[in-house]
Amino acid sequence: MIEIKTLATGSKGNCYYITDGYTPLLLEAGIKFRDIQRKLNFQTRDIKGCLITHEHKDHCMGVPDVLKAGITCYLSKGTKDELGIEHHRLKVVENKKQFQIGTWTILPFDVQHDVSEPFGFLLVNSAGDKLLFATDTYYIKYRFKDITHLMVECNYSQKILDENILSGRTPKVLRKRLMRSHFSLENVKEFLKANDLSKLQEIWLLHLSDSNSNEEQFRQEVAELTGKMIYIP
Amino acid sequence: MTNQLQQQGNVPAESNKQNAMVTRVAEKVQSMVENNQINIPENYSIVNAVQAAYFKLTEVDFKKKTSLIDSATKESVAFSLQDMAIQALSVAKNQGYFIVYGDKMQFTRSYHGTQAVIKRMTGVKDIWANVIWKGEKFDVEYNQRGQLAFKSHEVDWKAATGNKDDIEGAYCIIERDDGVQFLTVMTIEEIKTSWSQSSMATVQNKYPQEMAKRTVINRAAKAFINTSDDSDLFIGAINRTTENEFDNERKEINPEYEINKNANKEELDITSPVIEQPKATKQNGEISQEKEHEPAGTATAEDDAPPF
């Protein structure tokens, strides 16, 4: 049983709290630690670790305070170099080398974003729940078996984006960047089709763009494709 | 022995392939010339240039172990060869390069190529560029027509240190047959902005003066070509190769291709057995406690886990 709480999502900041009842973790620290505390009713003492995907501010601005609060942060070497922070609780983990935090076994893997060394994470707990967390990537190289919980970015829809470009709502330069850095609904659907979803319980669509997405449409299209429980925080 | 065998085996096949491609492209361009679609200088041999390009394309890259021609689609190879021939350029003179994006090949002109192209345009007499070094006196003015015009450049030949920090700017002059000159000046800040778009930082640090000239020539040529009334295929080819200039454009050329090629291909999973459910971790889920539930040390040894 995994419990997922969204503390913040989108380009203003990302932070998720997950727990299997034994080991609570933070995924990303893209908001102030004060806000994390407030949203968790100041129950942050049990948090055993924080996984950081990449160095963009909306994913790591809270890292210094999270470290100060005694929570170990795990990230890639490239991300650490870009952050430029040295701290004894800042742990570098390597691509495809799994590690352990409490009841979680965690496998970092490379994703596709326009930063130094971005990671996604596959987490398995001792009860056999498997959670995939992938954000800020325009596609995923890999396929995964027996995922029970999927937390994936679904930033924009190519169709809405193109309409917005035509009408001038979104600047043209942004199109190129988006297409090479963020997950589109179309590609998320391809990803879902490529994977075995038989054990999947929940899909969390994260990091929706303010202007180039449509929550209802995304929910409906993914629901039609998978028939699973869908959360859009 | 093996070498000889290989050579014997390779030569006929290579030359067959080569002839077909070279002849086809050369014929296509030749027919364009005959139909008066394009103008090519008389002293430019299409066949020679395409042949020379073909050698470059079939060269096997030491690292990638494949040749350029094998990593791109046939159509794009033919098209980029045609781009080169229409502009009457030659890769043998480093007037351009073939670059593969995804599986599409494109011909990108070097600045020597740009100079050659400009010189060949009707009405253009010459094009040249100079670097302004620190300590030199460079003067420009607006002429009677309100165009920026060259006034003077006092050269101190010893000022050319070859150091990037000693460059103050660069200028390029394009002179028409009737003697009218077009001046383009760039300050080093402008040049650096332009450089920041490309990924050739090492070259720019090593040969800043050459790279500064290249940048200003490209800037001047772009303005000149795009405002000329010479609307033929030639200009189309020039614009295409100028567009391919900067590296950030290159990277963004074909995300769909990359996604189709790489997405959702490889299986990935956590390998080692998941550890047993610890009983007393509600309060303090320390790793030391969990280790009691499984053979000591196995988790770290098997997992290759980082040491923490």
Side-chain angles (χ1 to χ4, degrees), chain B residues 269-286:
Chain B
D269 207 353
I270 288 179
T271 43
S272 72
V274 176
I275 53 158
E276 288 299 305
Q277 181 98 4
K279 276 169 195 146
T281 39
K282 192 81 190 176
Q283 272 83 39
N284 48 349
E286 310 277 67

Side-chain angles (χ1 to χ4, degrees), chain A residues 21-22 74 91 98 102-103 105 109 124-126 130 138-143 176 179-180 187 191, chain B residues 249 251-252 256 258-259 262-266 268-272 274-275 277-278 281-282 290 308:
Chain A
Y22 297 95
Y74 301 84
K91 302 281 188 196
Q98 62 196 49
T103 46
T105 307
F109 60 93
V124 182
N125 70 359
S126 39
K130 198 182 270 188
Y138 60 106
Y139 66 90
I140 297 175
K141 270 193 199 164
Y142 307 104
R143 280 179 300 168
K176 283 185 178 174
M179 285 177 66
R180 281 197 55 99
N187 289 335
F191 170 76
Chain B
E249 295 291 325
K251 271 199 285 186
E252 284 165 358
E256 290 101 334
E258 197 189 328
I259 292 170
N262 299 337
N264 316 323
K265 291 287 188 290
E266 206 181 316
L268 190 70
D269 207 353
I270 288 179
T271 43
S272 72
V274 176
I275 53 158
Q277 181 98 4
T281 39
K282 192 81 190 176
E290 287 151 26
F308 48 77

Side-chain angles (χ1 to χ4, degrees), chain A residues 31-73:
Chain A
I31 51 174
K32 286 183 194 145
F33 187 63
R34 208 162 4 116
D35 293 330
I36 298 177
Q37 284 179 310
R38 197 177 299 146
K39 298 215 166 160
L40 292 173
N41 285 329
F42 296 88
Q43 307 294 313
T44 51
R45 269 187 59 194
D46 294 340
I47 295 173
K48 289 288 175 295
C50 175
L51 310 178
I52 307 289
T53 59
H54 67 286
E55 68 265 23
H56 281 159
K57 280 280 167 269
D58 57 329
H59 295 261
C60 70
M61 81 174 265
V63 168
D65 285 333
V66 169
L67 291 170
K68 237 181 250 170
I71 298 169
T72 308
C73 292

Side-chain angles (χ1 to χ4, degrees), chain B residues 17-306:
Chain B
K17 221 167 114 189
Q18 173 181 323
N19 283 340
M21 172 79 82
V22 170
T23 333
R24 220 177 43 218
V25 173
E27 270 172 7
K28 179 93 189 285
V29 178
Q30 195 61 48
S31 79
M32 283 178 177
V33 175
E34 277 158 19
N35 295 335
N36 281 333
Q37 280 177 303
I38 50 168
N39 270 325
I40 277 182
E42 279 165 18
N43 54 6
Y44 178 75
S45 156
I46 300 165
V47 179
N48 282 2
V50 176
Q51 195 95 330
Y54 199 84
F55 290 137
K56 270 264 151 71
L57 292 176
T58 46
E59 240 173 36
V60 174
D61 188 290
F62 185 69
K63 265 192 201 149
K64 291 182 194 154
K65 297 197 167 51
T66 140
S67 63
L68 277 173
I69 200 159
D70 289 331
S71 44
T73 61
K74 267 190 186 153
E75 292 74 26
S76 70
V77 171
F79 197 66
S80 47
L81 278 173
Q82 198 182 303
D83 254 2
M84 178 200 72
I86 288 174
Q87 298 176 79
L89 296 176
S90 166
V91 281
K93 291 178 200 153
N94 285 339
Q95 287 172 335
Y97 311 93
F98 294 102
I99 296 167
V100 179
Y101 310 102
D103 62 350
K104 298 224 163 42
M105 180 178 289
Q106 258 162 354
F107 179 71
T108 300
R109 205 174 50 235
S110 72
Y111 86 100
H112 297 296
T114 305
Q115 268 179 304
V117 162
I118 293 277
K119 278 188 195 173
R120 212 171 285 138
M121 288 176 77
T122 32
V124 178
K125 196 165 150 202
D126 205 356
I127 170 170
W128 66 94
N130 286 317
V131 170
I132 308 156
W133 294 95
K134 211 174 246 173
E136 290 182 349
K137 214 166 160 256
F138 177 69
D139 257 341
V140 290
E141 60 182 3
Y142 283 113
N143 63 12
Q144 295 98 323
R145 290 180 299 168
Q147 286 169 323
L148 199 64
F150 177 81
K151 204 170 163 193
S152 69
H153 182 185
E154 271 175 35
V155 179
D156 175 12
W157 66 274
K158 280 183 187 158
T161 54
N163 189 341
K164 187 160 83 177
D165 299 328
D166 291 338
I167 296 177
E168 293 211 302
Y171 62 95
C172 170
I173 297 176
I174 299 177
E175 192 179 46
R176 274 201 331 220
D177 281 340
D178 54 11
V180 178
Q181 291 187 347
F182 294 90
L183 174 71
T184 308
V185 188
M186 285 174 93
T187 62
I188 189 68
E189 279 72 31
E190 280 180 288
I191 292 171
K192 278 182 182 161
T193 313
S194 168
W195 287 354
S196 69
Q197 301 282 309
S198 81
S199 69
M200 314 208 315
T202 41
V203 197
Q204 282 148 1
N205 287 327
K206 246 181 173 170
Y207 312 105
Q209 68 274 48
E210 286 306 306
M211 296 310 282
K213 278 191 206 172
R214 171 184 187 270
T215 305
V216 74
I217 284 176
N218 277 331
R219 161 79 62 94
K222 240 183 240 187
F224 200 81
I225 292 165
N226 291 352
T227 54
S228 76
D229 52 1
D230 212 353
S231 53
D232 50 17
L233 256 169
F234 175 57
I235 297 293
I238 290 170
N239 283 343
R240 256 200 312 284
T241 42
T242 310
E243 265 168 29
N244 304 340
E245 179 107 330
F246 292 117
D247 202 51
N248 65 336
E249 295 291 325
R250 261 175 227 171
K251 271 199 285 186
E252 284 165 358
I253 261 174
N254 210 342
E256 290 101 334
Y257 169 80
E258 197 189 328
I259 292 170
N260 283 337
K261 200 176 151 207
N262 299 337
N264 316 323
K265 291 287 188 290
E266 206 181 316
E267 288 275 353
L268 190 70
D269 207 353
I270 288 179
T271 43
S272 72
V274 176
I275 53 158
E276 288 299 305
Q277 181 98 4
K279 276 169 195 146
T281 39
K282 192 81 190 176
Q283 272 83 39
N284 48 349
E286 310 277 67
I287 295 179
S288 60
Q289 280 213 327
E290 287 151 26
K291 279 197 176 154
E292 292 169 13
H293 294 266
E294 62 165 34
T298 44
T300 41
E302 269 178 29
D303 297 348
D304 245 346

